[in-house]
Amino acid sequence: MQRRSFLQHTALGAGASALAVPALAQGGQVNWRLASSFPKTLDTIYGSADQFVKRVAELTGGKFQIRQFAAGEIVPGLQVMDAVQAGTVEMGHTPAYYYFGKDPTFCFDCAVPFGLTSRQQTAWMDQGGGRELLREFYKGYGIINFLAGNTGTQMGGWYRKEIKTVADMKGLKMRVAGFAGRVMERMGVVPQQIPAGDVYAALEKGTIDAAEWVGPYDDEKLGLVRVAPHYYTPGWWEAGPQLSFYVNIKEWDKLPKEYQAALEAASYECHVSMQADYDAKNPAALARLMKNGAKLHSFSKEIMDAAYKTSTAVMEEEAAKNAKFKKIYEPWKRFRQDQNQWASVAEATMQNYLISIGRR
């Protein structure tokens, strides 16, 4: 309760604190539908949007009701953006990089290879100009976007055999898509786009050799440790993947101002809560996975260097031919440089020391 009270009086939650009872009384009943890109079994991701819809209702005295639907109940998970754009639903909960095929620019609203960490991504969106740049981009799709959570740096996936060198990646069939898929393809990997529910069977049958999903807590549920025990880190293509709430602009404009404020405050609370949820649950989940046979590895420096070089080349090529991408990429790149310089001064130094003494 204290956390909720605090968030209602913070920067983005300021509008929520202005929700006086008389103002609420002036607003009528509003009923929306929210299409999720996730199944209900993913309680961290799907559950955060559950929290969001409950908070919107609480902040509006029950007058703004949003009903959430899991992936496939209204539209498939990869078509949430299309449903919001078409007005099939008023809003959606989704990762923007699902729409890489439409325009790689979408990925800046989620994650790009060797991109921003969770905290850096939030800083860029909230204070570094990212929100303004992306909202201008989204106007072309009739959508307004809001922060909707972050998983933190993800893992590098599950592999049937060890991957020690770039040569080991040649011909590797891997469940990976988007920017990461394009980069990996240049490194010799054969990228595959497979729904989460089919990944286990594909690995078990040998249809694929590796698969990436999220991190320990969510990965444990897929049971991949039983068929691909080599667990790699880090997921260099997802340093801080952010989720988004998409709202149809026409529907947004119809909302009373106090309802808009409630939606924005609830989205920010959801954003903060998801990261905390993953940070709290991942350590125990990783311990369980290792107890059940997971073999933890770090990608070699050779692989990391090759991935970074290839990622940079791919992004520079995209910027050269895609004006929308370049408009965001250039200021984003400067922000990343500044953030990493600052992180190296205090936080990384402190974190590295604590890790070192923990291993003694």
Side-chain angles (χ1 to χ4, degrees):
M1 292 301 292
Q2 288 177 339
R3 175 170 63 85
R4 290 181 177 178
S5 176
F6 169 76
L7 281 168
Q8 285 175 259
H9 292 81
T10 52
L12 277 178
S17 65
L19 293 175
V21 175
L24 279 174
Q26 296 170 14
Q29 185 69 37
V30 174
N31 296 297
W32 276 14
R33 298 193 301 173
L34 182 157
S36 174
S37 283
F38 308 104
K40 293 179 181 179
T41 51
L42 294 178
D43 58 298
T44 42
I45 294 182
Y46 184 87
S48 69
D50 250 347
Q51 172 193 339
F52 163 78
V53 301
K54 290 174 183 175
R55 290 295 288 141
V56 169
E58 289 172 356
L59 291 169
T60 58
K63 292 190 174 184
F64 188 1
Q65 295 285 338
I66 303 172
R67 185 180 176 191
Q68 182 180 194
F69 293 85
E73 291 184 341
I74 295 180
V75 292
L78 299 180
Q79 295 177 22
V80 167
M81 195 209 79
D82 303 274
V84 176
Q85 185 181 12
T88 305
V89 293
E90 289 81 7
M91 70 179 298
H93 185 218
T94 188
Y97 61 12
Y98 277 6
Y99 314 105
F100 173 87
K102 297 178 184 292
D103 189 327
T105 308
F106 277 104
C107 295
F108 287 111
D109 195 31
C110 184
V112 296
F114 294 95
L116 303 173
T117 64
S118 172
R119 279 182 54 186
Q120 292 171 346
Q121 179 74 9
T122 297
W124 181 64
M125 289 293 294
D126 197 25
Q127 301 292 327
R131 179 191 290 109
E132 292 75 17
L133 286 167
L134 282 163
R135 284 193 174 171
E136 182 180 350
F137 170 72
Y138 276 112
K139 278 183 181 179
Y141 294 86
I143 288 171
I144 181 170
N145 61 308
F146 297 88
L147 300 175
N150 200 306
T151 68
T153 303
Q154 294 192 4
M155 295 293 285
W158 298 88
Y159 298 74
R160 287 161 60 91
K161 64 179 183 179
E162 286 190 63
I163 306 296
K164 297 180 179 179
T165 67
V166 174
D168 291 336
M169 301 178 74
K170 305 294 183 183
L172 187 81
K173 298 186 294 294
M174 182 174 182
R175 186 265 181 200
V176 63
F179 247 130
R182 184 182 289 185
V183 173
M184 290 236 188
E185 190 170 26
R186 290 201 184 181
M187 295 172 68
V189 173
V190 182
Q192 308 282 319
Q193 193 157 4
I194 301 174
D198 299 332
V199 173
Y200 183 93
L203 277 169
E204 187 178 36
K205 295 175 183 177
T207 306
I208 57 175
D209 306 303
E212 62 86 28
W213 183 229
V214 179
Y217 184 72
D218 286 340
D219 289 6
E220 184 181 26
K221 295 177 181 179
L222 296 184
L224 304 184
V225 65
R226 297 194 296 272
V227 288
H230 298 284
Y231 199 24
Y232 275 83
T233 186
W236 47 262
W237 51 94
E238 292 178 297
Q242 172 188 287
L243 279 76
S244 299
F245 285 124
Y246 286 169
V247 176
N248 181 285
I249 286 181
K250 292 180 180 178
E251 296 299 327
W252 170 256
D253 289 340
K254 292 177 186 177
L255 287 177
K257 294 297 182 184
E258 62 268 23
Y259 288 12
Q260 290 181 347
L263 187 152
E264 192 161 15
S267 74
Y268 201 75
E269 181 175 331
C270 166
H271 181 72
V272 173
S273 182
M274 181 191 288
Q275 178 67 81
D277 201 13
Y278 273 110
D279 284 345
K281 291 175 176 175
N282 275 330
L286 179 59
R288 289 192 299 269
L289 286 168
M290 294 181 69
K291 184 178 180 180
N292 289 321
K295 301 174 182 178
L296 189 62
H297 308 278
S298 293
F299 286 122
S300 67
K301 187 176 186 301
E302 177 192 336
I303 290 176
M304 292 294 287
D305 286 347
Y308 180 78
K309 182 179 179 180
T310 307
S311 297
T312 301
V314 168
M315 293 179 73
E316 292 289 341
E317 289 168 14
E318 186 65 35
K321 65 183 180 182
N322 184 339
K324 293 178 181 178
F325 185 92
K326 184 177 182 179
K327 186 173 183 178
I328 298 179
Y329 178 56
E330 293 299 334
W332 174 90
K333 193 164 50 170
R334 291 192 293 272
F335 187 87
R336 180 183 65 172
Q337 181 179 359
D338 290 344
Q339 286 294 300
N340 287 334
Q341 286 178 342
W342 161 235
S344 70
V345 172
E347 186 156 345
T349 305
M350 186 67 182
Q351 193 70 46
N352 289 338
Y353 174 74
L354 291 171
I355 291 171
S356 71
I357 62 174
R359 290 174 175 168
R360 290 177 187 173

